[in-house]
Amino acid sequence: MKPSLEKKLATLSERLEELNRLLSTETATADMDNYRKISREHSDITPVVEHYRTYLKIEADLAAAQGMLADPDMRAFAEEEIASGKLQLETSELELQKLLLPKDANDERNIFLEIRAGTGGDESAIFAGNLFRMYSRYAERQRWKVEVVSANESELGGYREIIARIEGYGAYSKLKFESGGHRVQRVPETETQGRIHTSACTVAIMPEVDEIADVELNPADLRIDTYRASGAGGQHINKTDSAVRITHLPTGIVAECQDGRSQHANKASAMRVLAARIKDVQVREQQSKEAATRKSLIGSGDRSERIRTYNFPQGRVTEHRINLTLYKIDFIMEGDLDELLDALSSEHQAEQLAAMGED
């Protein structure tokens, strides 16, 4: 193990002992904010230190086995123990490196899912609807809650644009690599000559901010417009100017909502989307800087990049960033995304480990 890694683990072990002492004092809960902070740190560090103690035990057992090599009667047994111990030590060290990887502060957050139809006209809008259904089915499998914030429906089905809030522990960590260009190749229902068309949609996964205060929004920088909601929504929604559009003047970022039952509800939803979009721009800028350094594509945050192709005639889905092709398009469109998402996460983790090795 590298000395720098061993030093970090020793420091964490000392810190855990200190946290144990702090949590066991009679005054530990006098300041609840501080108590929660210490408890959270204790919870984060404990699995790392426990694994480090296991590593040290394996190391000690290996040293003991090497000490037995001088005894002719124990030599064969010692050689077996050494071979097994070295393998265990290597596996344990890799696991420790994974545990020490920097955590994404947004991983546990809820998200806003935004899908926009791109090239391909009506077929693109239909595909946007397919993608929304795919993510909704995946959310159901995770027991997450899906709430449509804003939807601009297409006349032939699907959406020109749809924004939904997905509430569930770890939603961002699971779906954060889905941002980018999604392309579909298939024969549209409107195609009479059986020709395969190519259409595209853009997907954005944005972490929800804890509070609007997480992003500085000066009221002077906001232009708020109200207008009459259009489309489905019943008689009530069409009688009042309940739809709200908020423009952040310094960046030109716009958020609007018309699906709520009141202007107040729509304004609150639009503000949450606006804050998430501004935060998302900051996150993507950071990801792009890191990606430029690591030459990574997975975490680049580049929306213009084509990340995945769904080819219906061949029944395949190709993830271009990691050269993965799965011939299970029907299952994937029904929300069976685990194999895809796990592969992307593993590749990202491998990149982080490689970067740690370089450092």
Side-chain angles (χ1 to χ4, degrees), residues 21-92:
R21 287 194 297 272
L22 289 170
L23 288 170
S24 62
T25 60
E26 291 181 5
T27 57
T29 56
D31 182 346
M32 285 307 294
D33 284 340
N34 190 51
Y35 177 74
R36 278 191 287 268
K37 183 181 175 184
I38 291 172
S39 298
R40 191 159 52 244
E41 187 183 355
H42 184 276
S43 176
D44 288 341
I45 291 176
T46 298
V48 183
V49 174
E50 285 178 352
H51 203 92
Y52 179 49
R53 287 170 182 164
T54 302
Y55 175 88
L56 292 175
K57 186 180 183 305
I58 296 168
E59 201 173 43
D61 291 345
L62 186 59
Q66 286 170 332
M68 289 187 239
L69 285 172
D71 186 342
D73 295 333
M74 299 294 291
R75 188 175 183 86
F77 172 75
E79 286 175 346
E80 282 184 23
E81 287 294 295
I82 289 168
S84 172
K86 283 181 177 177
L87 196 62
Q88 287 181 53
L89 205 64
E90 193 177 313
T91 304
S92 183

Side-chain angles (χ1 to χ4, degrees), residues 27 45 56 74 113 133 168 190 217 275 313 324 326 335 347 349:
T27 57
I45 291 176
L56 292 175
M74 299 294 291
L113 162 68
R133 183 177 182 276
T190 53
L217 290 176
L324 173 68
L326 300 175
E347 184 70 19
Q349 196 173 69

Side-chain angles (χ1 to χ4, degrees), residues 55-202:
Y55 175 88
L56 292 175
K57 186 180 183 305
I58 296 168
E59 201 173 43
D61 291 345
L62 186 59
Q66 286 170 332
M68 289 187 239
L69 285 172
D71 186 342
D73 295 333
M74 299 294 291
R75 188 175 183 86
F77 172 75
E79 286 175 346
E80 282 184 23
E81 287 294 295
I82 289 168
S84 172
K86 283 181 177 177
L87 196 62
Q88 287 181 53
L89 205 64
E90 193 177 313
T91 304
S92 183
E93 184 176 344
L94 181 61
E95 189 58 37
L96 275 169
Q97 287 178 354
K98 288 179 181 178
L99 288 170
L100 286 172
L101 288 176
K103 290 181 172 59
D104 189 328
N106 294 314
D107 272 353
E108 296 174 7
R109 297 192 181 209
N110 303 324
I111 61 168
F112 284 105
L113 162 68
E114 180 181 286
I115 305 172
R116 288 186 180 183
T119 55
D122 291 327
E123 170 61 12
S124 177
I126 292 169
F127 180 50
N130 298 150
L131 288 175
F132 177 65
R133 183 177 182 276
M134 178 183 80
Y135 290 122
S136 296
R137 286 295 177 93
Y138 177 73
E140 285 174 17
R141 290 167 182 250
Q142 305 300 313
R143 300 183 185 277
W144 297 340
K145 180 183 173 185
V146 180
E147 170 197 356
V148 175
V149 174
S150 176
N152 182 0
E153 296 178 12
S154 168
E155 292 174 5
L156 294 179
Y159 304 95
R160 293 187 182 88
E161 178 186 89
I162 182 165
I163 302 169
R165 178 178 179 268
I166 298 181
E167 180 185 337
Y169 183 80
Y172 185 74
S173 69
K174 290 280 190 180
L175 293 173
K176 62 183 174 183
F177 299 125
E178 291 300 287
S179 292
H182 293 241
R183 185 176 68 166
V184 63
Q185 294 173 326
R186 65 182 171 191
V187 179
E189 294 175 15
T190 53
E191 170 59 56
T192 55
Q193 297 180 30
R195 291 175 300 186
I196 295 172
H197 286 226
T198 299
S199 304
C201 288
T202 302

Side-chain angles (χ1 to χ4, degrees), residues 56 128 211 257 274 323:
L56 292 175
E211 299 174 5
C257 185
L274 184 72
N323 295 320

